[in-house]
Amino acid sequence: MTAPAGIALSGLCKTFASHGQKVEALRDVSLNCPAGSFTALIGPSGCGKSTILRAALGLEPLDSGRVEIGGQAPQAATRAGVTGVAFQDAALLPWRTVAQNIALPLEVLGRAVGPEQGRIRDLIALVGLQGRETALPGELSGGMRQRVAIARALVSAPQVLFLDEPFGALDQILRRQMNIELQRIWAETGVTTLLVTHGIDEAVFLADRVAIMQAGPGRIVEVVEIPFARPRAASLFSDPEFHHQCDHIAGVLHGG
Ligand SMILES: Nc1ncnc2c1ncn2[C@@H]1O[C@H](COP(=O)(O)OP(=O)(O)OP(=O)(O)O)[C@@H](O)[C@H]1O
Ligand SMILES: [Mg+2]
């Protein structure tokens, strides 16, 4: 993989007009994610998290502000396969096998799939789905489907990975297992990652920094640096300092 690109969001503003009402989804949102870093974005429902991700992918026209992915405009970065994305509901095509779902972005980018079979096999191993290559999504558990979605997001060898609530539908135990796996995948690939989550513990466990948002207007109110050494073990979830960080973020989220 080529050296990772950073994410630079500066002064993003976006107001939606729907049914005669204006919603200020983003007000002056700036966030800098250095190459190779892991950033979590947390905030209440409707505060603009997915709007930021869509803007960073070049899918959401902005009123003002600037997005740069490794110094490129977002549409150019997406077209070049620099960015990978996985959404909350996995959104796999039910009639395609695991391997065929993972290959999909290559087809969208107009790249030949044949020469990438080795890479697809490596990704299946990376997300721990060896032996399930020919399974259909309906034959997989929710956690397995999320892992397919993450492998698919990585298939273009992106330098930047956007994850929108990838584990939102999973139970707590599976979610923690997936957190540990995601940390491993991030460390092995070095991909610059921006994760949207509602889980404070997930954010603190995974991220180098947590950007906390509030709604009305959608904005970043605080960015908290997370100091824990890596790799982080599951025991961190019961560390008093970990709980101290989580309590601080909860306080900011709830306006404390
Ligand atoms: N296409 C749209 N048209 C009108 N309003 C929109 C549109 N997309 C988003 N909004 C509004 O913008 C605000 C931010 O939406 P967004 O989806 O970014 O929130 P979110 O933080 O991702 O929420 P959640 O945690 O529930 O996914 C919300 O008030 C939403 O209703
Ligand atoms: Mg959202």
Side-chain angles (χ1 to χ4, degrees), residues 16 18 23 25 44-51 54 198:
F16 289 106
S18 76
V23 175
S45 183
C47 72
K49 303 180 296 296
S50 296
T51 304
R54 284 199 305 275
H198 280 113

Side-chain angles (χ1 to χ4, degrees), residues 38 83-92 98 101-103 105 119-120 122-129 140 142-158 160-168 170 174-175 177-187 189 191 193-196 202 206:
F38 196 121
T83 48
V85 61
F87 291 106
Q88 177 166 15
D89 56 2
L92 304 177
V98 164
N101 265 289
I102 293 172
R119 173 168 181 77
I120 292 168
D122 289 349
L123 280 170
I124 288 172
L126 185 71
V127 298
L129 286 173
L140 302 175
M144 290 174 179
R145 283 197 288 272
Q146 292 298 352
R147 284 185 265 164
V148 174
I150 290 171
R152 182 177 59 184
L154 291 168
V155 76
S156 68
V160 171
L161 180 62
F162 295 108
L163 301 173
D164 196 348
E165 285 270 357
F167 312 131
L170 306 183
L174 192 51
R175 196 173 172 134
Q177 285 171 1
M178 293 297 297
N179 289 163
I180 290 163
E181 289 201 23
L182 178 58
Q183 177 184 229
R184 178 179 57 79
I185 290 166
W186 168 77
T189 58
V191 67
T193 302
L194 182 57
L195 168 79
V196 167
E202 177 167 283
L206 283 165

Side-chain angles (χ1 to χ4, degrees), residues 25-78:
L26 301 178
R27 180 186 285 180
D28 195 19
V29 167
S30 296
L31 185 64
N32 198 25
C33 309
S37 65
F38 196 121
T39 304
L41 198 53
I42 196 163
S45 183
C47 72
K49 303 180 296 296
S50 296
T51 304
I52 291 178
L53 255 50
R54 284 199 305 275
L57 288 160
L59 300 172
E60 189 74 73
L62 293 163
D63 300 336
S64 58
R66 192 178 167 85
V67 174
E68 281 187 19
I69 308 292
Q72 295 192 84
Q75 293 89 347
T78 301

Side-chain angles (χ1 to χ4, degrees), residues 144-248:
M144 290 174 179
R145 283 197 288 272
Q146 292 298 352
R147 284 185 265 164
V148 174
I150 290 171
R152 182 177 59 184
L154 291 168
V155 76
S156 68
Q159 299 162 41
V160 171
L161 180 62
F162 295 108
L163 301 173
D164 196 348
E165 285 270 357
F167 312 131
L170 306 183
D171 68 55
Q172 171 92 337
I173 293 171
L174 192 51
R175 196 173 172 134
R176 288 197 171 173
Q177 285 171 1
M178 293 297 297
N179 289 163
I180 290 163
E181 289 201 23
L182 178 58
Q183 177 184 229
R184 178 179 57 79
I185 290 166
W186 168 77
E188 284 183 24
T189 58
V191 67
T192 311
T193 302
L194 182 57
L195 168 79
V196 167
T197 178
H198 280 113
I200 298 177
D201 54 352
E202 177 167 283
V204 173
F205 181 78
L206 283 165
D208 297 315
R209 86 191 49 73
V210 179
I212 308 170
M213 294 187 71
Q214 275 175 6
R219 63 207 186 278
I220 293 175
V221 289
E222 190 172 323
V223 177
V224 180
E225 297 291 328
I226 308 296
F228 304 118
R230 296 185 186 272
R232 298 173 182 168
S235 56
L236 184 62
F237 284 115
S238 43
D239 185 303
E241 183 53 28
F242 179 84
H243 287 287
H244 177 75
Q245 294 280 351
C246 292
D247 289 347
H248 172 72

